[in-house]
Amino acid sequence: MDMARSPRLAKGMDSSAAHYTASVFFDWRLLPYDVAGSIAHITMLAEQHIVSAENRDQIIAGLEQVRQEWESGTLTPRLEWEDVHMNVEGRLGELIGPASGVLHTARSRNDQVAVDMHLYMMDVAELLKSRLLDYMRALVERAEVDMDVIIPGYTHMQAAQPILLSHHWLAYRGMAVRDFERLEQWQTRANCSPLGAGALSGTPYPTDPARTAALLGLAGVYENSVDAVSDRDFLMEFLAWAAIAMVHLSRLAEELVLWSSVEFGYVRISDAYSTGSSIMPQKRNPDVAELTRGKAGRVIGRLQGLLTTMKGLPLAYDSDMQEDKEGVFDVVDTMDAVLTVVPGMLRTLEVNRGRIARRIGQDYTAATDLADLLVQDGMTFREAHHLVGMVVTELENQGKGFAEADVEWLKQVAPAIRPEWMALLTPENLVAKRLQPMATAPVRVAEQIAAARTWLAEHDGGPPR
Ligand code: ARG
């Protein structure tokens, strides 16, 4: 009996059409989830006296063997069986004979594929949460190691005000916490079983969908069978989650590309995370960072792809929905790869303290603070802003920083500015004065690190590294 061919279809399938419609070559990774779903299903059917205990035991033993063959790599996908679901059932038939035909009672591939994807995505969430934790750990480690480094903070990509480099790293940690929490919140919504919906209307058998959900460790059951087989929100939302997380990682990657350039020279990306040029011997290319930035585009594209696939689909299941898989799997693999490599790149980064100190000595990132001193002496901020702007323009023409300003000249052009202030405008003094909550003073940043460590310990299970 040709399992994949309905008796309604007299002719064999055109070979190009068979390749075109088959999903088995990409949904193969769902096999252990498909087996788990089938074991839960047949267990429930036997409990409800819909199938015999004998059939259940035969089927479970056969399914366990199919899973083992898959795990050991001896099972190969067969095109004539179209998708992973029918490959499992087909192989089961070879192993246990006609009793395998009982398994698909009160079930459709529509609820089957949906439950497989839910189960797979639950494991994916756990994996990516652990990867995110390691990324956060790497950021906190950097923050601890770089507490003595003050960089010019930027707005409009122009040197703005000095901040601790640690403060900068911890900004990315804040994004990662939100990414982690978003993934957890997504998990609570996606933790739901569609099994029991059948093709779309439910089934006339006395099944117990809550029981299969419980057997599978899923928290609940869809309220509506049509929604259960039509819903791909959980995948679209996952892709949206990934797109946002990748935007964060891409911004970090862009800064590392920029900061490792000869022009900036703030950091040196370890050889272990760099590549050479095939033609230019002097080059050390920040490939890992560049590809992280580049892969953000790919992930965003996958989100766009699935949204576009879904937007015109009538209820309930349509074959278009098979297109969800390659994009989701690609994003899962991409997030896994990015979050595996980026922590190592961060941990092995060398910070060029001398270069950063020279750079911050030459800029005018103390200008706001100089204006603030004038305000303390009674000038309005607008006036002070104007006066300091004029002084900066002059100093720039002279090629001098605030600290090198000629005292006599200063008295002449800006008598309101007390010359002794100039020596106080060091980056260390400037950051130390920013004591408000969330500001960059070392005491505040140390508190952020402590809070981050506590958070990690709470979410990690294990002791903080
Ligand atoms: N391979 C299909 C998918 O990935 C499984 C569901 C097929 N259902 C059907 N009625 N053709 O969506």
Side-chain angles (χ1 to χ4, degrees):
M1 183 180 64
D2 182 353
M3 189 188 49
R5 285 308 269 175
S6 150
R8 295 270 294 132
L9 306 166
K11 286 195 210 151
M13 203 170 189
D14 176 82
S15 120
S16 65
H19 276 99
Y20 190 71
T21 51
S23 58
V24 68
F25 299 109
F26 54 80
D27 63 17
W28 196 236
R29 69 168 74 188
L30 294 176
L31 191 140
Y33 303 96
D34 197 72
V35 165
S38 288
I39 290 176
H41 181 63
I42 198 74
T43 302
M44 179 277 293
L45 291 181
E47 285 173 2
Q48 298 296 104
H49 308 292
I50 299 166
V51 303
S52 71
E54 192 198 345
N55 277 168
R56 174 198 59 201
D57 295 345
Q58 283 173 297
I59 286 173
I60 291 179
L63 287 169
E64 299 281 13
Q65 188 174 335
V66 175
R67 176 161 52 197
Q68 272 160 25
E69 290 176 358
W70 177 88
E71 270 164 15
S72 63
T74 55
L75 195 65
T76 44
R78 287 197 233 166
L79 175 67
E80 69 272 22
W81 286 338
E82 204 176 297
D83 58 25
V84 66
H85 322 293
M86 290 204 281
N87 267 259
V88 171
E89 199 182 322
R91 180 63 186 144
L92 184 67
E94 289 180 343
L95 293 172
I96 70 166
S100 66
V102 166
L103 175 60
H104 212 52
T105 311
R107 185 177 75 173
S108 152
R109 274 187 295 160
N110 298 348
D111 57 345
Q112 191 178 356
V113 70
V115 79
D116 288 6
M117 286 300 276
H118 279 271
L119 291 171
Y120 167 74
M121 293 306 290
M122 288 297 118
D123 276 0
V124 163
E126 288 307 316
L127 172 76
L128 294 181
K129 272 162 47 185
S130 76
R131 294 268 183 272
L132 269 176
L133 284 175
D134 194 46
Y135 167 55
M136 285 188 243
R137 252 183 252 125
L139 287 167
V140 175
E141 285 164 31
R142 274 256 67 98
E144 286 168 341
V145 169
D146 297 331
M147 271 300 280
D148 60 317
V149 183
I150 300 174
I151 60 165
Y154 295 86
T155 64
H156 310 271
M157 203 52 234
Q158 305 286 317
Q161 291 169 348
I163 55 171
L164 291 197
L165 176 54
S166 301
H167 198 54
H168 196 91
W169 297 133
L170 290 169
Y172 284 104
R173 184 254 167 196
M175 298 174 221
V177 169
R178 293 193 296 277
D179 289 333
F180 187 94
E181 290 174 352
R182 258 189 286 276
L183 190 53
E184 275 199 323
Q185 289 154 3
W186 167 85
Q187 235 179 332
T188 62
R189 270 187 296 284
N191 197 345
C192 189
S193 176
L195 194 58
L200 82 163
S201 65
T203 71
Y205 297 90
T207 59
D208 184 355
R211 176 66 180 145
T212 43
L215 286 167
L216 290 168
L218 292 170
V221 180
Y222 279 82
E223 284 180 7
N224 179 305
S225 62
V226 176
D227 186 33
V229 292
S230 306
D231 175 31
R232 293 295 180 272
D233 290 8
F234 69 110
L235 300 178
M236 293 186 280
E237 196 181 347
F238 170 76
L239 295 178
W241 166 82
I244 294 172
M246 279 307 294
V247 166
H248 297 153
L249 287 155
S250 182
R251 294 180 77 177
L252 172 68
E254 161 60 9
E255 294 200 318
L256 294 180
V257 170
L258 198 64
W259 289 2
S260 64
S261 67
V262 170
E263 288 73 12
F264 266 78
Y266 286 6
V267 297
R268 184 178 166 93
I269 295 174
S270 159
D271 290 355
Y273 293 88
S274 303
T275 59
S277 158
S278 60
I279 175 171
M280 296 163 284
Q282 86 284 11
K283 291 285 285 293
R284 299 174 78 259
N285 291 334
D287 263 72
V288 170
E290 291 171 278
L291 285 170
T292 302
R293 192 176 58 188
K295 284 176 194 298
R298 166 187 185 139
V299 170
I300 292 165
R302 292 300 196 175
L303 167 63
Q304 187 78 41
L306 185 57
L307 290 171
T308 310
T309 293
M310 294 304 296
K311 73 170 273 294
L313 290 190
L315 305 181
Y317 179 86
D318 300 275
S319 280
D320 314 47
M321 287 154 75
Q322 179 170 292
E323 288 292 311
D324 60 359
K325 285 175 200 62
E326 286 157 292
V328 167
F329 295 159
D330 182 46
V331 167
V332 169
D333 295 343
T334 301
M335 297 309 294
D336 183 21
V338 170
L339 289 169
T340 299
V341 74
V342 167
M345 174 170 61
L346 282 171
R347 288 188 169 103
T348 54
L349 206 63
E350 279 173 46
V351 173
N352 193 339
R353 287 168 162 69
R355 168 85 183 191
I356 294 173
R358 280 195 297 284
R359 173 68 191 73
I360 203 164
Q362 284 161 3
D363 67 28
Y364 302 98
T365 48
T368 314
D369 286 66
L370 182 55
D372 288 337
L373 288 168
L374 288 165
V375 170
Q376 272 175 32
D377 265 12
M379 197 178 276
T380 68
F381 187 79
R382 252 325 128 223
E383 267 181 293
H385 182 274
H386 186 80
L387 180 63
V388 174
M390 183 275 287
V391 168
V392 167
T393 307
E394 286 296 320
L395 284 173
E396 203 172 38
N397 290 337
Q398 297 166 18
K400 289 179 177 172
F402 283 132
E404 294 119 15
D406 182 82
V407 176
E408 291 311 315
W409 167 80
L410 196 61
K411 276 183 184 158
Q412 233 170 34
V413 297
I417 295 178
R418 300 195 214 157
E420 66 268 23
W421 284 346
M422 294 313 216
L424 299 175
L425 295 172
T426 61
E428 289 76 15
N429 286 344
L430 266 42
V431 294
K433 284 199 297 185
R434 286 167 162 73
L435 282 162
Q436 285 72 20
M438 86 169 85
T440 196
V443 288
R444 292 289 94 81
V445 175
E447 285 166 5
Q448 281 185 62
I449 292 175
R453 281 291 178 197
T454 306
W455 190 97
L456 276 171
E458 280 165 10
H459 287 79
D460 227 358
R465 252 177 35 164

